[in-house]
Amino acid sequence: PITPGELLCLGSSLAFSGLFYYLYRRKARVVARIQEAPKLQVDDNLPALVSAAEGRCLPYVALEGIVLPAQAALTSHYHEGLQGVIQKLLLREHRLIWNSLARSW
């Protein structure tokens, strides 16, 4: 004899397993698309490729080439000799609205 509590636990376990498997498969598809991304060189032909693409955007593209920092390169604290640069920093502030019902911003 199975009790209602055991059925509830079994059902919730199956529901969570299904949800996590769905999320795993969705992320696995994204990872596969990133791994299959075409590799392009940073050269004079890149602006022409971008402007010819649909929506002037190249989704999931790996760029290879040498970049120069605008000021100073970022150095890693954990790996000696590893340096990097930041291409673009975007800061987006969301407008705060007072919610009088919840009495919070």
Side-chain angles (χ1 to χ4, degrees):
I2 298 176
T3 64
E6 290 173 337
L7 284 177
L8 179 67
C9 289
L10 178 65
S12 63
S13 175
L14 288 174
F16 279 121
S17 295
L19 172 70
F20 291 137
Y21 182 72
Y22 167 75
L23 293 174
Y24 165 76
R25 293 298 304 160
R26 213 169 84 186
K27 296 299 178 186
R29 282 193 298 261
V30 171
V31 168
R33 284 184 61 195
I34 290 173
Q35 288 177 342
E36 295 169 357
K39 295 180 181 176
L40 301 176
Q41 295 292 324
V42 177
D43 56 7
D44 295 334
N45 298 333
L46 188 59
L49 279 171
V50 172
S51 61
E54 180 182 335
R56 297 181 57 124
C57 178
L58 297 172
Y60 299 122
V61 173
L63 293 176
E64 295 178 340
I66 298 173
V67 295
L68 300 174
Q71 295 174 357
L74 301 172
T75 58
S76 174
H77 296 289
Y78 304 107
H79 300 285
E80 189 175 325
L82 188 64
Q83 294 184 339
V85 295
I86 296 176
Q87 176 189 2
K88 185 177 183 182
L89 179 64
L90 176 66
L91 176 65
R92 181 179 298 163
E93 293 186 26
H94 297 283
R95 194 173 111 195
L96 295 177
I97 300 173
W98 176 255
N99 184 346
S100 61
L101 182 63
R103 295 181 181 253
S104 66
W105 288 99

